[in-house]
Amino acid sequence: MKPVKVGLLGLGTVGTGVVRIVEGHQEDLQSQVGSPIVIEKVLVQNRSKDRNIPIDVSKLTEDPYEIIQDPEIDVIVEVMGGVSQTKEYILEALSRGKHVVTANKDLMALHGPEILRTAKENQCDVLYEASVAGGIPIIRTLIEGFSSDRITKIMGIVNGTTNYILTKMTQEGASYNEVLKEAQQLGYAEADPTSDVEGLDAARKMTILSTLGFRANVALEDVTTKGISGVSSEDIQYAQRLGYVVKLLGIAERQDEYISVTVQPTMVKNTHPIASVNGVFNAVYVYGEAVGETMFYGAGAGELPTATSIVADLVAVVKNLKLGVNGQQASTAYKEKKLKSDEQIASKYFLLLHVDDRAGVLAQITQVFAEYEVSLESVLQQPNPSNPEAEIIVITHDANKAAMNKVLQKFESLDVIRKVKSVYRVEG
Amino acid sequence: MKPVKVGLLGLGTVGTGVVRIVEGHQEDLQSQVGSPIVIEKVLVQNRSKDRNIPIDVSKLTEDPYEIIQDPEIDVIVEVMGGVSQTKEYILEALSRGKHVVTANKDLMALHGPEILRTAKENQCDVLYEASVAGGIPIIRTLIEGFSSDRITKIMGIVNGTTNYILTKMTQEGASYNEVLKEAQQLGYAEADPTSDVEGLDAARKMTILSTLGFRANVALEDVTTKGISGVSSEDIQYAQRLGYVVKLLGIAERQDEYISVTVQPTMVKNTHPIASVNGVFNAVYVYGEAVGETMFYGAGAGELPTATSIVADLVAVVKNLKLGVNGQQASTAYKEKKLKSDEQIASKYFLLLHVDDRAGVLAQITQVFAEYEVSLESVLQQPNPSNPEAEIIVITHDANKAAMNKVLQKFESLDVIRKVKSVYRVEG
C-alpha cells in the first residue's frame, strides 16, 4: 500500500487542524482509503517559528515550488489564503497533475470556473468543501444530495462573525460598536472587520453556493451586498416586537430560469428554522421543488471543523486515485446564467419612517405605496415620545425591487417624511 | 448516448414520485450523467388500476421476474417495501449484475450487511439514502461528509408520525389518543400505528445511522426501544415548565470503542437545536470529535422528498456506470462492534414520583439516590391538590443506567412512594 503524499500550503489555524486530523485519525483514514495518507511537506512563512503541534522541521519549507514541483506529491491542500499568487500555485500544481483541496472561498468565488476547467483539462480533482460554512458538508449536498432536484432558494447564515454580533445585539440589547469591539477582543472579528461586517465574505460564499445550486456560473459581481454596520439596536428591538430577528442572510433565488443573489441584513420571522441559528454557528437553508424545506447547521469556522471538511475532501480525492477516476466530476455549471431584473426580484419589506406628527401624513404615505402598486401587510403608527415626530412602521406584501426603489425615491421628495430610518428585506 | 434503463419495483406514493422526478427533471439529469435515464418497466400489484400519473400501461407488469431477469435493465429501484420476498428479488437482481437503489429501511436494518456484501461480490452498487429521513441526505453525509471525523453521538428525530403527535400534544395540550386519532384521519398515522408509535420504525433507522456513524455493524436487536404511547400530556406540561420539550429521540452514542443505541421519549432542553424540530419534519443531529455540533433538517417522508433521495442515488449509480466503478464503495463497517454495558450508559434522568404527603419522605428518597451514587441536579416537591399525595420531580446529573435501574427497583419496595409516575431520559 503505497502512501498518498500530501503537500500542505499553509500552517495557520486550519493547516494545523489538517495535520492534527490526518495524523490523529490515520487508522480510520487508512481503513477507508486503503493506504496511508502522509503530510509530506508544508509551506510556511517562517521555518523557525514555534508551532503548537509537533511537526518534523525537515518537512517545513518556505519555498512553494519545493512542494508544487515535487513529483512525489499527489495532492496539494491549500489553506494559505490569498488570491492571485495562490491561484498561480494551484494552476501550476494542476498542470503537473496534482489534485487540489482548498478552503479558499475568495479564490473559488473569483476564479472557480477557470480553476475547475484547468483541473478537468489535467484530469485532476479540485475539491473545496471547506470554502463555505466550515464543517457543514453543504457543497457535496448541493452537488450530490440534491442532484435530482431543482433548487429554487438558498438562504445562508454563512459568516460567523456577523451572526455573533447580531446575536449579541439581540440578546443583550447592546450597540453594534460595543459588540464589534468585544468580538475583536475575543478573536471572533478581525482588527479590520470590513470583509465580514460589510458582507463581502458572505457574498463570496453565496457566489459559490448559488453557482452549485442553480448550475450556472454566478460571478461575485452578480451579488448585491449590504453589510450589518448600519443595523441599530433600535431596528433589532422593532424586529423582536413584531416577531422577527435580524440576520445577515445570503439569499439566492431562482424563478423560471432567472436568478438573483443578495447579501443583506434581513428580518426573519422567528418561527423560521434559520431564525434560531445563533452565535458563530452557520446554517444553509435550501428549498428544492421536490424536497421542499431543508436546513444544514454547524460550525462555520475554526481549526477542526474546517479541517474536517478538508480531510473529507482529501479522502474523496484518494478514493478517486485508487479507482483511477480523478478529474471526472460532472460539470456542475451547465446552464446559462440569466439574472433577474429589479422588476423580477420580489420580497417583503420592513420600513421604519420618521414623519411629521400631523393629520393626513399616513394618507400621503399609503398613497405613494398605492401609486407604485406595493400592497401593505401591516402599518403601525405611534408617537415618538422624545420628538415632535411620529414613527410609522410598514411591512409590505411581496413587492418588486424596482417598485420599492421608486417608493423610496418618492419618499425623499415628500415633505412630511423626515427620514426613512430603516429598510429591511423580510423573510419567513 | 445509450439510455440507462431502470426497473421500478412498486408504484405507490414514493414510486409515483420517482416517475415524476425522472420524467420531469430529465433534461437536468441528462446534463449531469450524460445519458437519458428511462423507466423501462414497473412492478405493480394490479396493472389495470387507475394511476394518478400518466404512465404507459405496456411498461407495467405484475411479474417481478420480468424486471429482475431482464438483461436490458441496468438499475433496480425498490420502493415496494417488505422484507423477505423483497430481499430475494434484490439478491437475485444483484447476482445478475444490476445495481440497486432502495428506500427500504426494514430491509437495510435487518439485512444490510448481507445485501452490501452481495453487492460487492457482484461489483454492484446498493444505495439507500431514502431509507432514513426521506429527503435529508444524511447517509452520504455520514459516509462522505464526515469520513474524516470520529462521530461520538447521533440524535435523530427520524419518525414524522410520532413527532407530529408530540408536537400537537405540546402545542394544544391534547391527549395522546386524541392526537393519534386526528393523525390517522389526516393520513399521518397508519390504521395500525404500532410500528411508528412504539418506536420500531425509528429503531430501524437508528440501526442504519449508527452502523454508518460508528463504522461497525449495529443490529436491530442492539437497539433498546420505547415508544410514545405512555407519554401523557401531564409529562409534557412538566417538561415545558422546566424548559424542556418531549421528543421521540433515537440516540446513538460512542465512548472509546463502546456504543449504545436507544429510541425513547426524551426531554430535550428547549435551547437545543433539535428541540425546535416540529410537526412531521425530521432532523438528525450529529456530534463529531472534530466538527462538533451539526444538524440536518428536512422532510422525513412524502412522495417527492423521498423520491429526491432515490433519484439522487440513481444519479450516483449512473455516474459510476459511466466511469466503470460500480461496486467500489469502501466498506463502511470495518470496526468490531462493542456494546456498552448498562454501567457504561450514562445520561440525565427526569422522574415524577407520587409520594405520601408527610414528613421525612424526601429524606428517604434522596437517601436511595445517594446509596447508588446518583447525584441530583434539581428536586421539586409540591402538593397535589387533587390527592392526599405529594409530587416530587427529580432531575439527576449524569447517572449510569445500572444505578438508575437499582434506584427504581428500590423505589418499588419503598412504602412512601405510591407510584413512579414517569421516567424520561434528559438531553441538552
Side-chain angles (χ1 to χ4, degrees):
Chain A
M1 292 195 304
K2 195 168 149 267
V4 173
K5 293 185 177 171
V6 175
L8 182 62
L9 305 183
L11 192 58
T13 307
V14 176
T16 303
V18 171
V19 174
R20 271 194 229 284
I21 293 183
V22 169
E23 294 187 349
H25 297 189
Q26 187 62 225
E27 202 182 320
D28 270 307
L29 297 177
Q30 282 196 39
S31 302
Q32 290 179 68
V33 301
S35 36
I37 297 180
V38 176
I39 299 201
E40 187 74 4
K41 285 185 185 162
V42 184
L43 177 67
V44 293
Q45 284 179 311
N46 178 358
R47 285 189 70 201
S48 47
K49 189 180 147 187
D50 273 348
R51 310 274 160 194
N52 59 3
I53 41 161
I55 190 158
D56 186 347
V57 175
S58 70
K59 291 187 168 184
L60 305 182
T61 172
E62 294 172 15
D63 175 10
Y65 294 99
E66 224 185 280
I67 297 176
I68 300 166
Q69 298 179 345
D70 182 344
E72 290 289 301
I73 284 180
D74 306 292
V75 190
I76 300 289
V77 170
E78 186 272 302
V79 289
M80 60 189 280
V83 177
S84 49
Q85 185 67 77
T86 311
K87 181 184 155 199
E88 257 181 53
Y89 297 162
I90 286 182
L91 292 180
E92 174 153 2
L94 290 171
S95 76
R96 289 169 182 269
K98 299 189 193 317
H99 311 291
V100 173
V101 174
T102 175
N104 196 323
K105 60 190 173 286
D106 304 340
L107 186 67
M108 291 310 292
L110 291 166
H111 304 292
E114 182 185 350
I115 288 170
L116 294 171
R117 197 172 54 241
T118 309
K120 210 173 181 68
E121 285 163 10
N122 291 281
Q123 292 200 299
C124 287
D125 289 335
V126 170
L127 299 182
Y128 49 102
E129 183 65 81
S131 67
V132 181
I136 309 172
I138 186 63
I139 289 182
R140 25 171 70 66
T141 295
L142 290 175
I143 297 178
E144 293 166 24
F146 295 147
S147 59
S148 55
D149 204 358
R150 287 194 293 231
I151 291 166
T152 54
K153 191 164 190 170
I154 301 172
M155 296 205 292
I157 294 180
V158 287
N159 179 274
T161 305
T162 47
N163 202 47
Y164 174 84
I165 293 173
L166 293 173
T167 302
K168 278 278 183 181
M169 287 175 71
T170 303
Q171 289 173 348
E172 299 174 3
S175 76
Y176 170 75
N177 285 318
E178 279 167 14
V179 181
L180 173 59
K181 216 171 139 185
E182 191 194 317
Q184 285 170 322
Q185 282 159 356
L186 289 168
Y188 291 159
E190 314 258 350
D192 175 1
T194 315
S195 166
D196 290 321
V197 300
E198 296 309 340
L200 310 176
D201 174 82
R204 287 173 191 140
K205 291 164 177 169
M206 291 308 297
T207 304
I208 297 171
L209 293 182
S210 53
T211 293
L212 293 171
F214 302 146
R215 299 165 188 155
N217 276 319
V218 175
L220 183 55
E221 57 265 30
D222 300 329
V223 185
T224 57
T225 304
K226 188 178 162 188
I228 65 163
S229 57
V231 175
S232 69
S233 45
E234 190 195 10
D235 294 340
I236 289 178
Q237 281 157 30
Y238 273 114
Q240 284 185 293
R241 223 191 293 164
L242 297 164
Y244 292 89
V245 291
V246 176
K247 294 287 179 193
L248 183 68
L249 285 194
I251 304 180
E253 293 176 297
R254 180 179 67 74
Q255 195 167 20
D256 303 323
E257 294 308 305
Y258 294 91
I259 65 182
S260 68
V261 188
T262 64
V263 170
Q264 64 194 302
T266 305
M267 290 199 182
V268 186
K269 194 86 187 159
N270 56 22
T271 50
H272 192 282
I274 212 165
S276 50
V277 174
N278 286 323
V280 295
F281 276 92
N282 281 17
V284 181
Y285 169 97
V286 179
Y287 193 95
E289 287 179 7
V291 79
E293 287 193 285
T294 62
M295 195 175 83
F296 305 89
Y297 169 92
E303 178 186 317
L304 291 176
T306 309
T308 301
S309 285
I310 290 170
V311 183
D313 277 351
L314 194 52
V315 166
V317 169
V318 177
K319 282 184 182 170
N320 286 344
L321 262 177
K322 300 277 149 179
L323 298 173
V325 294
N326 300 96
Q328 300 293 326
Q329 294 156 276
S331 165
T332 49
Y334 52 82
K335 290 191 179 175
E336 189 194 343
K337 174 182 72 182
K338 293 181 189 167
L339 294 176
K340 284 186 184 181
S341 67
D342 280 1
E343 278 75 21
Q344 290 172 306
I345 299 175
S347 77
K348 292 167 71 175
Y349 288 89
F350 164 101
L351 284 90
L352 171 59
L353 309 174
H354 285 191
V355 301
D356 285 352
D357 195 0
R358 57 182 164 88
V361 170
L362 193 55
Q364 284 189 57
I365 290 169
T366 49
Q367 174 54 34
V368 176
F369 284 109
E371 188 181 339
Y372 296 106
E373 294 181 353
V374 173
S375 69
L376 306 182
E377 181 183 291
S378 57
V379 178
L380 175 71
Q381 177 167 1
Q382 55 185 19
N384 182 335
S386 59
N387 271 309
E389 304 174 327
E391 289 177 348
I392 292 181
I393 291 166
V394 174
I395 295 182
T396 70
H397 285 297
D398 269 350
N400 78 58
K401 194 176 167 184
M404 267 307 293
N405 285 341
K406 285 183 196 150
V407 167
L408 291 170
Q409 220 170 0
K410 185 78 174 227
F411 279 174
E412 283 188 16
S413 63
L414 213 62
D415 281 349
V416 297
I417 295 187
R418 300 194 177 184
K419 196 173 182 188
V420 176
K421 195 69 193 342
S422 329
V423 181
Y424 284 86
R425 180 173 174 144
V426 174
E427 279 294 327
Chain B
M1 292 195 307
K2 195 168 147 271
V4 172
K5 292 185 179 173
V6 175
L8 182 61
L9 306 183
L11 191 58
T13 307
V14 176
T16 303
V18 170
V19 174
R20 271 194 228 284
I21 293 184
V22 169
E23 294 187 349
H25 297 189
Q26 187 61 226
E27 201 182 321
D28 271 307
L29 297 176
Q30 282 197 39
S31 302
Q32 290 179 67
V33 301
S35 36
I37 297 179
V38 177
I39 300 202
E40 186 74 3
K41 285 185 186 162
V42 184
L43 176 68
V44 293
Q45 284 179 309
N46 178 358
R47 284 189 72 200
S48 46
K49 189 180 147 186
D50 273 348
R51 310 275 161 195
N52 58 4
I53 41 161
I55 189 158
D56 186 348
V57 174
S58 70
K59 291 186 169 183
L60 305 182
T61 171
E62 293 172 15
D63 175 9
Y65 294 98
E66 223 186 282
I67 296 177
I68 301 167
Q69 299 179 343
D70 182 343
E72 289 290 300
I73 284 179
D74 307 291
V75 190
I76 300 289
V77 170
E78 185 273 303
V79 288
M80 59 188 280
V83 176
S84 49
Q85 184 68 75
T86 311
K87 181 185 156 201
E88 256 180 54
Y89 297 162
I90 285 182
L91 293 180
E92 174 154 2
L94 290 171
S95 76
R96 291 170 180 266
K98 300 188 193 317
H99 311 291
V100 172
V101 174
T102 174
N104 195 325
K105 60 190 174 289
D106 303 340
L107 187 67
M108 292 310 293
L110 292 165
H111 304 292
E114 181 185 351
I115 288 171
L116 294 171
R117 197 173 54 241
T118 309
K120 210 173 181 68
E121 285 163 11
N122 291 281
Q123 293 200 297
C124 288
D125 290 335
V126 171
L127 299 181
Y128 49 102
E129 183 65 80
S131 66
V132 181
I136 309 173
I138 187 63
I139 289 182
R140 26 171 69 67
T141 295
L142 291 174
I143 297 178
E144 294 167 23
F146 295 147
S147 59
S148 55
D149 204 357
R150 286 194 294 231
I151 291 165
T152 54
K153 191 163 190 171
I154 301 172
M155 295 205 291
I157 294 179
V158 287
N159 179 274
T161 304
T162 47
N163 202 46
Y164 174 85
I165 292 173
L166 293 173
T167 301
K168 277 278 182 178
M169 287 175 72
T170 304
Q171 290 174 348
E172 299 173 2
S175 76
Y176 169 76
N177 285 317
E178 279 167 16
V179 181
L180 173 60
K181 216 171 139 186
E182 191 194 318
Q184 286 170 320
Q185 282 159 357
L186 289 167
Y188 292 158
E190 314 259 350
D192 175 1
T194 314
S195 166
D196 291 320
V197 300
E198 296 308 340
L200 311 175
D201 174 83
R204 287 171 191 143
K205 292 165 178 168
M206 291 308 297
T207 305
I208 297 171
L209 293 182
S210 53
T211 292
L212 293 171
F214 302 146
R215 299 165 188 156
N217 275 320
V218 175
L220 183 56
E221 56 266 28
D222 300 329
V223 186
T224 57
T225 304
K226 188 179 163 188
I228 66 162
S229 56
V231 175
S232 68
S233 45
E234 189 194 10
D235 294 340
I236 289 178
Q237 282 157 30
Y238 274 113
Q240 284 184 293
R241 224 193 290 165
L242 298 164
Y244 292 89
V245 291
V246 177
K247 294 287 179 194
L248 182 69
L249 286 194
I251 304 179
E253 293 177 296
R254 180 180 66 76
Q255 195 166 20
D256 303 322
E257 294 307 306
Y258 294 91
I259 65 182
S260 68
V261 189
T262 64
V263 170
Q264 64 194 303
T266 305
M267 290 199 182
V268 186
K269 193 85 188 160
N270 56 23
T271 50
H272 192 285
I274 212 165
S276 50
V277 174
N278 287 324
V280 294
F281 276 92
N282 280 18
V284 181
Y285 169 96
V286 180
Y287 193 94
E289 286 178 6
V291 78
E293 286 194 285
T294 61
M295 195 175 83
F296 306 89
Y297 168 93
E303 177 186 318
L304 291 175
T306 309
T308 301
S309 285
I310 290 171
V311 182
D313 278 352
L314 193 52
V315 166
V317 169
V318 177
K319 282 184 182 170
N320 286 344
L321 261 176
K322 300 277 148 179
L323 298 172
V325 293
N326 301 95
Q328 300 293 326
Q329 294 157 276
S331 165
T332 49
Y334 51 82
K335 291 191 178 175
E336 190 194 343
K337 175 183 72 184
K338 294 180 189 165
L339 294 176
K340 285 187 184 180
S341 67
D342 279 1
E343 278 74 21
Q344 290 172 306
I345 299 175
S347 76
K348 293 167 69 174
Y349 288 89
F350 164 102
L351 285 87
L352 171 59
L353 310 173
H354 284 191
V355 301
D356 285 352
D357 195 1
R358 58 184 163 88
V361 171
L362 193 56
Q364 285 190 55
I365 289 169
T366 50
Q367 174 54 33
V368 175
F369 284 110
E371 188 181 338
Y372 297 106
E373 294 182 352
V374 174
S375 68
L376 305 182
E377 181 184 293
S378 57
V379 178
L380 174 71
Q381 178 170 0
Q382 56 185 17
N384 183 333
S386 58
N387 272 310
E389 304 174 325
E391 289 177 349
I392 292 180
I393 291 165
V394 174
I395 295 181
T396 71
H397 285 298
D398 267 352
N400 77 58
K401 194 175 168 186
M404 267 305 293
N405 285 342
K406 285 181 197 151
V407 168
L408 292 171
Q409 219 168 358
K410 186 77 172 227
F411 280 174
E412 284 188 16
S413 64
L414 214 62
D415 282 349
V416 297
I417 295 187
R418 299 193 179 184
K419 194 172 183 189
V420 177
K421 195 70 193 342
S422 328
V423 181
Y424 284 86
R425 179 172 173 144
V426 174
E427 279 293 327

